[in-house]
Amino acid sequence: STCNSLTLMARLVAAGQGAAVLPTAMVRNEVESGQLRLLPAAAPVAPGTLVVAFAGPAHRYRPLVRTIVESLQESELTAPAS
């Protein structure tokens, strides 16, 4: 089974139901409080294109897209915006 909700994934991990790859910025408070912990990842991330798909008016999703881009840049998984 799969889950496409980052918030739900974070809640499931905090409840001890598994592990997830999540944007650091999104779970910073949970990591600082000890609800979640970071695990080192040795697997390299291949370069590619990130596509964010959504339904509805684009203005509703701009903050989410901005958070995703900032989180990826913070994680050094992408090159800084030019």
Side-chain angles (χ1 to χ4, degrees):
S1 128
T2 63
C3 176
N4 64 0
S5 167
L6 293 177
T7 302
L8 179 56
M9 287 174 25
R11 288 182 183 162
L12 288 168
V13 172
Q17 298 301 310
V21 177
L22 299 167
T24 306
M26 183 188 149
V27 294
R28 182 171 286 123
N29 291 338
E30 289 82 355
V31 170
E32 289 174 356
S33 72
Q35 289 178 293
L36 296 177
R37 63 186 170 103
L38 301 178
L39 299 174
V45 177
T49 301
L50 172 69
V51 177
V52 178
F54 51 84
H59 72 273
R60 290 180 54 204
Y61 296 94
R62 282 191 189 110
L64 173 61
V65 172
R66 189 176 319 114
T67 299
I68 292 169
V69 170
E70 289 170 358
S71 296
L72 287 170
Q73 288 171 342
E74 174 186 303
S75 70
E76 299 177 358
L77 292 176
T78 62
S82 52

